[in-house]
Amino acid sequence: MSCLPNEAEALITVRDLIRWGASRFREAGLHFGHGTDNALDEAYYLVLRSLHLPFDLPAVYLESAVTPRERAAVLKLLRSRVTTRKPAAYLLGEISFAGFDFDVDERVLIPRSPIGELIERGFSPWLTAPPTRILDLCAGSGCIGIACALTFPQARVDLAELSTGALAVCRKNIARHGVGDRVRACRSDVYSGLGDARYDLIVANPPYVSAAEWKTLPPEYRHEPRMALEAGSDGMDVVARILEGAVDHLVPGGTLICEVGGSVEAFEARWPRLPVTWIEFERGGDGVFLIGRESLAEHL
């Protein structure tokens, strides 16, 4: 994909670049689902990030003219989104989650969980007291656990992750946010590397895509680690292990919050009588349940 010389020169303002990018994205039939859900928002995100501008930029600044150097950099980024089919976060090397920026690359799933909204609200109204020991299971980039640490300054947080590549990204983000005194990254296959540690709150965004569904995912998702997405014939293999071990790793009165995304039917087929609470979100997203330790102990 390229611009004719005169076409590129006609792209004068920030708004021109956003419009051009959105048109090319729609023309190429890109898929969106890693922070945006449409071509216009994706172009807006990439153009403003490339120009180091805030997303709450007053509309008048969209009419600002870009320099030739800026235009070249933006066009290169927009073209890369089309030709590589890589999600925007991988092209930029970072993404915002729960109000904080995190490093990401193709060793980790791109943060997009609605759990971010819960963290921003301090898990209100679901938690009656601030948690002091938190476990982020299947941590990936560490965004959930680190955002929790930044939200609850008194909390100590473990990031449990099996992938050594993902753990390297976790440690990068721990250093980025200066929380190394309270947050540790642990190589752990679910609970296997945690010993007898117990937590007030376990938060998990595990793989929950079925093997059949994974084969049908758009190209953008194929850039993400398969082990972060696919989990057996019904997508519930890792979720089952999380549920089975949660009682032994929660303190009395502790809480498990876990995402299963679009696999709610598969979850309810496996555990039809488990008394979970499905959380509703103001900004969209679903498939996140909450259950207390005592309910788990009674029903599993």
Side-chain angles (χ1 to χ4, degrees):
M1 181 186 70
S2 61
C3 287
L4 297 173
N6 290 341
E7 181 184 14
E9 291 173 6
L11 302 174
I12 297 169
T13 67
V14 177
R15 190 185 300 277
D16 289 340
L17 290 168
I18 294 170
R19 197 283 308 157
W20 187 88
S23 294
R24 300 293 76 75
F25 293 171
R26 287 181 60 84
E27 181 181 48
L30 300 188
H31 182 85
F32 310 101
H34 296 88
T36 66
D37 61 7
N38 63 82
L40 186 59
D41 285 350
E42 184 97 339
Y44 184 90
Y45 174 74
L46 282 169
V47 170
L48 266 65
R49 276 281 188 171
S50 181
L51 295 172
H52 310 288
L53 293 171
F55 296 129
D56 58 355
L57 186 75
V60 65
Y61 288 98
L62 296 178
E63 308 306 328
S64 301
V66 296
T67 68
R69 182 179 175 184
E70 288 175 328
R71 179 171 59 209
V74 170
L75 291 177
K76 181 180 179 181
L77 183 62
L78 297 177
R79 291 188 190 109
S80 292
R81 178 65 180 91
V82 172
T83 58
T84 66
R85 296 295 294 263
K86 288 185 179 182
Y90 287 154
L91 295 173
L92 295 166
E94 66 175 9
I95 193 170
S96 293
F97 176 80
F100 307 103
D101 288 337
F102 293 92
D103 290 331
V104 293
D105 60 34
E106 291 178 66
R107 294 174 291 179
V108 299
L109 194 76
I110 294 172
R112 53 186 178 273
S113 172
I115 290 172
E117 183 179 319
L118 291 180
I119 297 170
E120 291 179 36
R121 299 201 312 248
F123 292 98
S124 175
W126 307 107
L127 297 186
T128 56
T132 58
R133 289 285 286 139
I134 301 171
L135 172 62
D136 177 2
L137 271 181
C138 307
S141 65
C143 63
I144 287 176
I146 294 170
C148 285
L150 294 168
T151 300
F152 301 106
Q154 304 307 313
R156 301 188 67 83
V157 180
D158 286 345
L159 311 177
E161 172 58 53
L162 180 59
S163 163
T164 54
L167 283 169
V169 179
C170 278
R171 293 185 179 111
K172 227 176 144 180
N173 282 315
I174 289 171
R176 176 173 184 162
H177 290 283
V179 290
D181 59 329
R182 297 187 293 116
V183 180
R184 65 169 183 159
C186 315
R187 190 164 192 266
S188 181
D189 186 2
V190 189
Y191 303 106
S192 68
L194 301 173
D196 58 359
R198 288 178 176 256
Y199 305 90
D200 305 308
L201 174 65
I202 297 174
V203 188
N205 181 17
Y208 51 73
V209 175
S210 70
E213 183 184 354
W214 185 85
K215 294 177 181 177
T216 69
L217 292 175
E220 280 81 355
Y221 291 91
R222 299 302 183 95
H223 290 281
E224 295 186 292
R226 181 171 181 171
M227 68 178 291
L229 291 167
E230 189 264 318
S233 60
D234 65 352
M236 293 293 105
D237 287 3
V238 179
V239 174
R241 296 173 61 202
I242 289 171
L243 290 171
E244 289 162 6
V247 171
D248 291 335
H249 289 279
L250 284 168
V251 301
T255 301
L256 168 67
I257 294 175
C258 181
E259 178 175 349
V260 298
S263 298
V264 172
E265 286 188 14
F267 178 90
E268 293 182 332
R270 275 228 204 179
W271 300 281
R273 287 179 290 278
L274 194 61
V276 301
T277 297
W278 294 103
I279 298 172
E280 295 184 2
F281 296 93
E282 295 178 1
R283 301 200 299 262
D286 54 16
V288 176
F289 70 82
L290 176 149
I291 188 167
R293 179 185 182 276
E294 286 66 32
S295 292
L296 273 171
E298 182 179 349
H299 290 89
L300 283 182

